Amino acid sequence: MPFVRAALLGRCPACGQASVFDGVLAVRPTCPACGLDLRAHDAGDGPAVAGIFVLGVVIVVAALWVEFAFEPPLWLHAVLWPVLSVPLALAVMRPAKAALIALQYRHRRREMQGA
C-alpha cells in the first residue's frame, strides 16, 4: 500500500485492508486481515512530539493573531483554544502514528520478520 494512503487512512502498511488502530490512538497487536505483527512497529513518542511542534506553533500564532486583531476577553481564549487544540491534536496524531508505523514497515521489514 502506498505510504501516504496508509498514513492518512490509518491502514495496515502490508495489506491496506484493516485499520492499525484498535481505539482512538491504540495500535492493534496484529492486523486482522493479513496477520502482520504490529507490536514490532512501535511509533513511540514521535507522533506526540511532531504534534506538539507543528500544532503548537499553529495554535500560538492563531491565538496571537486573534488577540491582536480582535482583542477578545481572556475567558474567550480560555474556552476557544482548548476546544480547538484537542481535536486538532487527535487529527494530527493518528496520521502521524500510522505514518511512522508504515515507515518502519517499509524500512525495517526484513528485520521485523526475523524477530
Side-chain angles (χ1 to χ4, degrees), residues 48-90:
V49 172
I52 288 169
F53 285 148
V54 173
L55 196 59
V57 169
V58 170
I59 294 293
V60 168
V61 168
L64 289 172
W65 177 75
V66 167
E67 175 61 31
F68 291 118
F70 303 108
E71 297 180 10
L74 186 58
W75 68 265
L76 187 63
H77 282 291
V79 170
L80 178 64
W81 301 115
V83 168
L84 286 176
S85 58
V86 170
L88 285 174
L90 290 175

Side-chain angles (χ1 to χ4, degrees), residues 42-54 92-93 95-100 104:
D42 183 23
D45 291 333
V49 172
I52 288 169
F53 285 148
V54 173
V92 167
M93 284 192 45
K97 199 168 204 176
L100 284 177
Q104 284 182 0

Side-chain angles (χ1 to χ4, degrees), residues 12-59:
C12 173
C15 68
Q17 299 299 314
S19 174
V20 296
F21 297 107
D22 197 15
V24 177
L25 290 173
V27 178
R28 293 178 188 269
T30 59
C31 174
C34 68
L36 176 68
D37 184 13
L38 294 169
R39 291 173 296 189
H41 304 286
D42 183 23
D45 291 333
V49 172
I52 288 169
F53 285 148
V54 173
L55 196 59
V57 169
V58 170
I59 294 293

Side-chain angles (χ1 to χ4, degrees), residues 1 13-14 36 41 102-115:
M1 172 170 225
L36 176 68
H41 304 286
L103 283 172
Q104 284 182 0
Y105 174 75
R106 177 187 286 176
H107 296 290
R108 298 174 59 197
R109 187 177 318 168
R110 287 183 206 91
E111 193 176 310
M112 293 296 171
Q113 288 172 347

